[in-house]
Amino acid sequence: MTRRVPEAATQVPGLVSGVLLVLGAWLVVFSVTGVYGADRGFDAPWNDRVAGLLAIGLGVVRVARRVRLRTASGIALGLGLWLLVSPFVLNYGFGADTAMAILVDVAAGTSIAALALVETLNAKPSV
């Protein structure tokens, strides 16, 4: 019995789901243990908790295949873009005490948005 290696196009959704789960968990853990600096306006740790839980939930839903791939990619892209801009929109502040929080959000947002975009571009057109 020969075993075929799946094509790259079929591996991308699993990769995106896994990254969503890992980055979502990281955001939740960092929101509890990380340093966000002085409180300014909206509570930045809560932003990361909510975004992390959304990423975990989306990853689980994608693994369970309870949502269309294109819909899941669009939601992931939106979540990634939000994480990318949220430190600036919510005014985390710019200083040594907030640098790690900004870096975590920008890195997670960039990763999620880029993978969701790659998945969208890599998806086979539905007939």
Side-chain angles (χ1 to χ4, degrees):
M1 179 191 308
T2 60
R3 216 170 117 187
R4 280 185 55 156
V5 176
E7 295 178 24
T10 60
Q11 293 176 355
V12 171
L15 174 70
V16 174
S17 299
V19 169
L20 279 169
L21 289 168
V22 170
L23 289 177
W26 171 247
L27 284 169
V28 171
V29 169
F30 185 77
S31 72
V32 174
T33 62
V35 176
Y36 285 85
D39 290 336
R40 291 178 176 86
F42 186 80
D43 194 8
W46 274 105
N47 178 57
D48 285 355
R49 281 182 200 121
V50 171
L53 291 173
L54 285 172
I56 291 170
L58 184 58
V60 169
V61 167
R62 289 172 53 92
V63 168
R65 305 223 186 255
R66 296 285 183 201
V67 66
R68 289 179 170 233
L69 192 60
R70 207 166 283 274
T71 302
S73 296
I75 294 169
L77 182 62
L79 179 62
L81 292 174
W82 169 250
L83 281 169
L84 186 62
V85 301
S86 66
F88 311 105
V89 172
L90 299 176
N91 190 21
Y92 283 16
F94 297 98
D97 57 341
T98 60
M100 185 58 83
I102 293 171
L103 180 65
V104 165
D105 281 7
V106 169
T110 302
S111 300
I112 292 171
L115 281 172
L117 189 60
V118 165
E119 182 181 52
T120 300
L121 296 174
N122 196 31
K124 294 179 183 177
S126 56
V127 182

